[in-house]
Amino acid sequence: MTGNQLVEIVSLKKQRRHVHILRVGWHDTRALLNEFRKPLFVFFFALFVGGFVYWYLNNTFSDNEALDLIDMPYYMLAFMVLESPLEVPEEPYLIVFWYVMPLVTVYVVGRGAADFLRLFIDREQRGGAWEVAVASTFRRHIIVVGIGHTGMRIVRELRQMGFEVVAVDSDINKDAHDRLHDLDVPLIAGDARNEQVLQSARLDHAMAAIICTSDDYVNLEVAMRMRAMNENTRLVTRMSDKRLPKKFECHLKVEVLSTSDLAASAFAGAAVGAEIMETLHIAGLEYSMIRFIVRQGSFMDGATVSRIQEKEGVDIVLLHRENGGAPDVHPDGQRILKAGDTIVLFAHHDRITEILGRNEKGRC
């Protein structure tokens, strides 16, 4: 890997951190709006629609001085706080605004304006309800059930890939919860066999779910519940009992990893349709070889082999095109990658996980 490639990787990681910060802020804002949508709707409805109605009635049916439409939101806000710059009119249909607008203020404040500001400022005290609200804003995320030692490593691996993750666990200690918070991963506290818990984790919008509790039969029950609720989400589960996996995979369309595959990277890769074939530790660094399919619209779709190798600092060791004959080992640099191609990459593990995330999420 050249010095220029290292500089590009560092720059890309900084950009990804900035994007991540913006994304977290966006989820927070959406959650806040979702939590307080009713009082906010009433407030803005009164401000703009009420302002328009007052302007129309005043300018059309009264002899009062004509008002500018652009000023009406300000006047409605002034009515709400009992500081109107206008003279009280004689018309009953206009006087009613002097009484209704203060009631709007009482409603908005009573329904939680103070809580809105407190939650916006103090994220630490939002609690479980807030994490459910944040999770409700996620789309194309990955659910991880069971946040033990393996589950936490899987969450960290997925976050490193750039995926949004929702954690589900019924009994998690404070230290693990704090680590999830540091990774910006909302925790849905509850039993994943409960349909309401899975709805809170937004299973209907998840791209994949990883079930990795230490109990095979709990994993089986959760997988059955998830498959009944969503036929399309990719499911990956941990299973130590060798009698179960084949029937399990066949009937429920679930990818099963045995106790010999408990590496977090194996679960993370399976969740996004990739296979981490080999991981090597050389001079204190971790390198991986991984096989995956180039996605439609991915940054690889339409790029040459040499461009990907030079820009991303990886080595494409094999390329196989569907209905294209035998796999091409060490393909020519001028070959153009296409959606649907199966490729095998070898690179530093951090590069592999980042490329997997970018490939799955599209062109970036």
Side-chain angles (χ1 to χ4, degrees):
M1 187 179 295
T2 67
N4 288 336
Q5 288 172 339
L6 285 172
V7 170
E8 288 181 5
I9 291 171
V10 171
S11 176
L12 182 59
K13 286 186 175 180
K14 288 182 178 178
Q15 292 176 12
R16 286 170 61 83
R17 280 198 297 271
H18 294 154
V19 170
H20 172 65
I21 291 171
L22 291 174
R23 186 176 295 151
V24 170
W26 168 239
H27 284 309
D28 264 9
T29 302
R30 285 186 63 187
L32 280 168
L33 294 175
N34 188 56
E35 285 290 288
F36 299 95
R37 61 186 180 277
K38 288 184 178 179
L40 286 174
F41 173 79
V42 170
F43 174 75
F44 286 109
F45 184 88
L47 212 62
F48 295 102
V49 177
F52 174 79
V53 172
Y54 190 98
W55 169 83
Y56 179 77
L57 293 175
N58 181 81
N59 290 9
T60 305
F61 299 107
S62 76
D63 296 326
N64 300 326
E65 181 182 352
L67 300 174
D68 290 331
L69 182 61
I70 196 171
D71 295 329
M72 297 316 300
Y74 167 74
Y75 291 142
M76 294 302 103
L77 186 60
F79 290 170
M80 291 181 191
V81 297
L82 304 177
E83 293 290 341
S84 174
L86 301 176
E87 294 292 333
V88 179
E90 297 180 357
E91 296 80 4
Y93 52 83
L94 296 180
I95 293 177
V96 71
F97 284 83
W98 262 257
Y99 293 95
V100 171
M101 290 303 164
L103 294 179
V104 171
T105 302
V106 172
Y107 172 80
V108 171
V109 173
R111 284 296 302 265
D115 284 342
F116 183 96
L117 294 175
R118 177 180 59 80
L119 290 175
F120 188 81
I121 295 169
D122 192 358
R123 187 181 176 200
E124 295 290 341
Q125 297 183 6
R126 293 171 182 173
W130 181 254
E131 298 196 64
V132 171
V134 172
S136 71
T137 68
F138 282 19
R139 300 290 186 276
R140 298 289 295 166
H141 58 287
I142 297 175
I143 299 171
V144 178
V145 178
I147 309 301
H149 178 69
T150 301
M152 184 62 74
R153 292 180 60 199
I154 293 170
V155 168
R156 188 176 294 109
E157 194 86 18
L158 290 168
R159 293 297 295 124
Q160 189 178 35
M161 290 183 187
F163 288 102
E164 290 167 341
V165 180
V166 173
V168 178
D169 202 306
S170 58
D171 184 19
I172 188 169
N173 60 49
K174 185 178 184 303
D175 180 58
H177 196 179
D178 289 343
R179 278 183 282 168
L180 289 177
H181 183 271
D182 291 340
L183 292 168
D184 293 306
V185 173
L187 170 69
I188 307 301
D191 190 335
R193 291 170 290 186
N194 185 311
E195 185 172 329
Q196 183 60 48
V197 171
L198 295 179
Q199 288 176 348
S200 296
R202 302 296 284 169
L203 176 62
D204 53 336
H205 289 287
M207 65 175 290
I210 299 174
I211 312 162
C212 56
T213 76
S214 58
D215 189 319
D216 283 357
Y217 290 94
V218 169
N219 293 343
L220 174 60
E221 288 182 67
V222 173
M224 292 174 65
R225 175 67 66 184
M226 285 185 168
R227 184 53 74 215
M229 293 175 63
N230 191 326
E231 296 182 355
N232 301 316
T233 296
R234 179 190 294 273
L235 299 183
V236 180
T237 188
R238 168 183 178 176
M239 192 68 62
S240 57
D241 190 335
K242 296 182 179 179
R243 297 170 299 175
L244 296 176
K246 287 187 178 179
K247 293 181 179 180
F248 197 39
E249 289 182 298
C250 178
H251 291 291
L252 293 180
K253 295 185 289 183
V254 177
E255 185 164 351
V256 177
L257 298 184
S258 67
T259 51
S260 62
D261 299 315
L262 290 184
S265 56
F267 280 93
V272 296
E275 178 187 359
I276 298 180
M277 305 166 66
E278 189 71 42
T279 298
L280 304 175
H281 296 270
I282 304 173
L285 298 176
E286 192 176 59
Y287 294 85
S288 294
M289 183 174 290
I290 188 164
R291 178 176 61 192
F292 64 96
I293 296 173
V294 176
R295 301 298 187 191
Q296 183 74 37
S298 163
F299 71 101
M300 291 186 173
D301 188 6
T304 63
V305 169
S306 61
R307 181 177 182 274
I308 295 298
Q309 292 185 146
E310 292 170 5
K311 186 174 181 180
E312 305 296 337
V314 301
D315 186 17
I316 299 179
V317 298
L318 183 144
L319 167 62
H320 178 247
R321 183 155 293 158
E322 192 175 4
N323 300 323
D328 188 357
V329 180
H330 289 293
D332 183 87
Q334 298 307 308
R335 288 202 64 179
I336 297 175
L337 300 175
K338 297 181 179 179
D341 286 352
T342 297
I343 61 176
V344 176
L345 289 182
F346 181 80
H348 189 275
H349 188 70
D350 286 350
R351 299 295 301 128
I352 291 288
T353 55
E354 181 181 302
I355 286 170
L356 267 181
R358 292 165 61 201
N359 177 64
E360 187 67 29
K361 294 195 295 184
R363 188 173 297 278
C364 60

